Amino acid sequence: MISKRPSSLLIAALRITGRSLAVILLVLFTLVCISGVSPVYRFSRPEPFTGPDIFDPYAGLDTAHSWKRANFHTHTRVEGIFNECTHSPQATYDSLKGYGYEIVTFSNHNELTEHPFDSSLAVNVYEHGYNLFKYHKLVFGSDKVWHWDNILPLFTFQRQAQMDRLSRDSDLIQLNHPARTNGTSKKGMERLSGYDIMELDSGKTTSQEYWDWALSAGHYSFALANDDLHYPDRSRCIAVRCNFLDTPSARYEDLLATLREGCYYCMRIPDYGNGDWKTKHRLNAELPAVRDIGLKDGTVFLRLTETADSIRVTGQDHRTLFQVYGDDELEYAFRPEDSYARLTAWFPDGEVIYSNVFARYDSSLSALPGSTGTHSISVAGTLAYNLGLLILCIFAVMLTIRITRKK
């Protein structure tokens, strides 16, 4: 007679495995619900920049200062087992210094990192976010890390709640790599506010359309382009993005003033040499640069040290307002219908320079363009949403108990 015992054991094992997986999934679902708790907001309608004046981020440009090359998004080895980078802060700093960087800040995930050799150059900055969508922010000037996060920040109101909470105890917030953040949409960018700086992505496109989505909705921000450096020993990861600041020093008080005023530009750089380190170092010392930039009598001007393939003026709704080809300078007179203008220069070898944004505003009402009160809490929406999460949690817990009690 053939024994049925092996098949019975297999069925029992499959049942146990199935129940275990169900319990794990239910626990994860419960955690997602708990971490999803958030106020719900009513967002105001998008409104372009308006006003009789034009904001000039380069009004304070001091030619007595030289442009200082900077990277603000840098990862290093940290204490503990969760390391995205095996290189020490000193080794990472030395690598960047070899390419001409004078300003380096260490922005490890949810951890404040000490400067490796000079405490006077320390900047309290960390990258906030554990979530699966890579919705990350750089938080400048906070004395402590805020660890709470939504595991799945599906909704713009969740992202806004994080932004509002982080801004309470910080000097500046940078919205990190939105083009690589899952769930980034035009509607979301038209609603989200509270950040001071937009991080530009190099990716496959250099147009930065998501920045224009936010600007066209009246959300003003400056821009930084950073390496988001994890692997300083990989040629394609280091010295491919940078910023040039008109600042007297690398001390935080000077950096903060410059970052708040906008007197800087950012740059995308090719991986010169494709692994040939000697070529990469040599060509990084010969980058095209901004010679002069600003606003005079309602006309935006840009002068470069080298001839660009093209220089473009981009405005409302990502439209091209003006463009020149094969030139090292540009002038563009603001028209009455222009809400903002930003400049992009493309060079023959693949370098790209981005300016900060010239925008309409009323200087008697605010220091920067754009409105501040762009959202308010919906009491009914908040109660309904969080009550729904509570019901889902209770259902998941009861189902988990029922599964675990089965023989």
Side-chain angles (χ1 to χ4, degrees):
M1 178 179 254
I2 298 174
S3 173
K4 294 184 179 180
R5 183 173 179 79
S7 61
S8 299
L9 289 174
L10 177 61
I11 292 172
L14 289 174
R15 285 176 176 170
I16 292 172
T17 302
R19 290 172 184 168
S20 299
L21 288 174
V23 169
I24 292 171
L25 290 175
L26 285 168
V27 169
L28 292 175
F29 178 77
T30 303
L31 292 175
V32 168
C33 290
I34 292 172
S35 75
V37 172
S38 171
V40 175
Y41 296 104
R42 287 187 294 262
F43 294 95
S44 60
R45 292 178 57 188
E47 295 288 346
F49 301 119
T50 59
D53 307 309
I54 301 172
F55 176 74
D56 176 9
Y58 302 98
L61 181 63
D62 187 348
T63 55
H65 304 152
S66 60
W67 295 109
K68 292 179 175 56
R69 188 170 178 175
N71 189 68
F72 292 96
H73 194 167
T74 311
H75 295 278
T76 64
R77 187 175 67 239
V78 298
E79 295 181 2
I81 61 174
F82 297 105
N83 270 286
E84 293 184 280
C85 180
T86 59
H87 298 262
S88 68
Q90 182 68 63
T92 303
Y93 179 90
D94 291 342
S95 296
L96 287 167
K97 185 179 179 181
Y99 293 102
Y101 289 82
E102 298 176 72
I103 300 166
V104 178
T105 64
F106 304 100
S107 53
N108 287 305
H109 280 279
N110 300 286
E111 182 168 327
L112 297 171
T113 305
E114 294 182 1
H115 197 278
F117 61 85
D118 189 346
S119 60
S120 69
L121 300 178
V123 175
N124 278 2
V125 58
Y126 69 94
E127 185 170 18
H128 177 272
Y130 304 101
N131 61 81
L132 301 180
F133 282 9
K134 294 186 177 180
Y135 174 57
H136 298 162
K137 292 76 61 186
L138 284 196
V139 183
F140 288 84
S142 180
D143 294 328
K144 58 183 179 180
V145 174
W146 185 57
H147 291 281
W148 176 262
D149 194 11
N150 306 120
I151 297 175
L152 289 178
L154 292 166
F155 306 108
T156 303
F157 60 77
Q158 291 174 306
R159 302 183 181 201
Q160 187 65 64
Q162 287 190 33
M163 199 71 72
D164 290 351
R165 174 61 182 81
L166 289 169
S167 63
R168 292 179 202 166
D169 304 313
S170 63
D171 295 325
L172 293 170
I173 302 290
Q174 174 182 285
L175 181 62
N176 285 355
H177 46 65
R180 292 187 285 118
T181 300
N182 297 319
T184 297
S185 66
K186 182 178 181 181
K187 187 174 182 179
M189 294 304 295
E190 288 175 343
R191 291 180 167 185
L192 188 66
S193 64
Y195 53 90
D196 307 280
I197 299 168
M198 179 84 72
E199 186 173 61
L200 304 189
D201 288 275
S202 293
K204 296 180 180 179
T205 177
T206 58
S207 65
Q208 317 300 350
E209 185 175 12
Y210 56 89
W211 192 19
D212 288 314
W213 292 343
L215 293 169
S216 297
H219 303 309
Y220 189 88
S221 66
F222 302 116
L224 289 174
N226 301 297
D227 275 341
D228 191 359
L229 185 60
H230 294 74
Y231 306 103
D233 55 344
R234 299 182 186 179
S235 177
R236 61 183 175 83
C237 297
I238 189 171
V240 291
R241 307 175 200 175
C242 68
N243 311 282
F244 288 90
L245 279 69
D246 179 57
T247 184
S249 80
R251 298 179 187 276
Y252 182 58
E253 56 268 27
D254 290 328
L255 294 182
L256 181 59
T258 303
L259 291 174
R260 281 176 167 168
E261 294 167 0
C263 199
Y264 49 95
Y265 66 92
C266 48
M267 195 168 185
R268 171 181 177 169
I269 305 164
D271 179 21
Y272 297 122
N274 294 315
D276 181 344
W277 293 98
K278 185 176 181 180
T279 299
K280 187 176 180 75
H281 278 92
R282 177 175 61 82
L283 293 179
N284 265 272
E286 303 171 2
L287 295 176
V290 171
R291 186 159 46 89
D292 198 7
I293 185 172
L295 178 75
K296 185 176 181 180
D297 298 328
T299 296
V300 175
F301 63 88
L302 171 67
R303 299 184 179 91
L304 304 166
T305 59
E306 297 182 18
T307 299
D309 276 346
S310 65
I311 310 172
R312 180 185 301 171
V313 182
T314 303
Q316 184 73 22
D317 299 322
H318 195 58
R319 292 194 300 265
T320 298
L321 305 178
F322 183 65
Q323 191 159 354
V324 298
Y325 298 91
D327 209 333
D328 63 354
E329 63 179 45
L330 171 144
E331 290 189 357
Y332 176 74
F334 247 80
R335 301 172 300 176
E337 64 268 27
D338 291 336
S339 60
Y340 74 89
R342 62 179 184 86
L343 313 179
T344 309
W346 287 267
F347 293 87
D349 291 332
E351 305 91 345
V352 186
I353 284 178
Y354 303 95
S355 79
N356 274 320
V357 181
F358 301 83
R360 291 200 175 278
Y361 79 129
D362 189 336
S363 59
S364 66
L365 299 177
S366 61
L368 289 173
S371 59
T372 54
T374 56
H375 57 276
S376 59
I377 292 179
S378 168
V379 177
T382 300
L383 290 174
Y385 168 73
N386 290 288
L387 181 59
L389 288 180
L390 178 60
I391 292 171
L392 289 173
C393 283
I394 293 173
F395 175 78
V397 170
M398 292 177 65
L399 190 57
T400 301
I401 293 172
R402 182 175 179 181
I403 291 173
T404 54
R405 283 181 174 177
K406 283 186 176 181
K407 295 182 180 179

